[in-house]
Amino acid sequence: MLPEWTSQQRAALQVMGIPVWEKKSAPAPVFYYRLGPLYLRGQNELPVSLPGWLDDLCLYLGQRPVAIKAPSKTPDLCFDYTESLNGSVPVETKKSLWQQLAHAKL
């Protein structure tokens, strides 16, 4: 933990020419997984026990998600699962995902 400087300490550091370092917030980490032709992206790691919709998707594609490094550019077939881990996936999101998969070359 960084120390909190008093106004006198800040003034003394400034007179001595020593910069006062401020703590900066780091960007939230992003986790990437590959599931066949589909890339999954989210702000949390996938749980070991996958949600039902993702289990169904794994059965459809015949494999489980594999953690990967962040791709150099966002792939065309990329799904952000962050919102979907908290509860059920909205119907519109499911339709969009399945439509993307239907048009992808599997």
Side-chain angles (χ1 to χ4, degrees):
M1 181 171 196
L2 294 175
E4 294 294 324
W5 301 104
T6 65
S7 58
Q8 290 176 333
Q9 289 170 326
R10 286 180 182 272
L13 290 171
Q14 187 176 15
V15 168
M16 292 186 287
I18 300 173
V20 177
W21 297 101
E22 301 289 335
K23 183 177 180 181
K24 293 184 180 179
S25 60
V30 178
F31 298 93
Y32 284 89
Y33 295 87
R34 179 110 190 240
L35 179 59
L38 178 66
Y39 286 84
L40 302 170
R41 170 185 61 216
Q43 294 180 352
N44 301 315
E45 291 182 275
L46 284 175
V48 174
S49 183
L50 298 175
W53 68 270
L54 191 50
D55 244 351
D56 292 344
L57 189 57
C58 291
L59 287 172
Y60 175 73
L61 295 172
Q63 51 190 288
R64 303 238 338 138
V66 177
I68 60 170
K69 290 182 180 179
S72 57
K73 67 175 189 144
T74 303
D76 294 333
L77 198 54
C78 189
F79 178 73
D80 191 329
Y81 63 83
T82 303
E83 298 288 323
S84 308
L85 290 181
N86 299 335
S88 63
V89 181
V91 174
E92 297 80 27
T93 305
K94 285 182 184 178
K95 284 181 182 178
S96 171
L97 177 59
W98 286 105
Q99 189 174 26
Q100 286 178 353
L101 287 172
H103 296 300
K105 295 180 182 181
L106 301 178

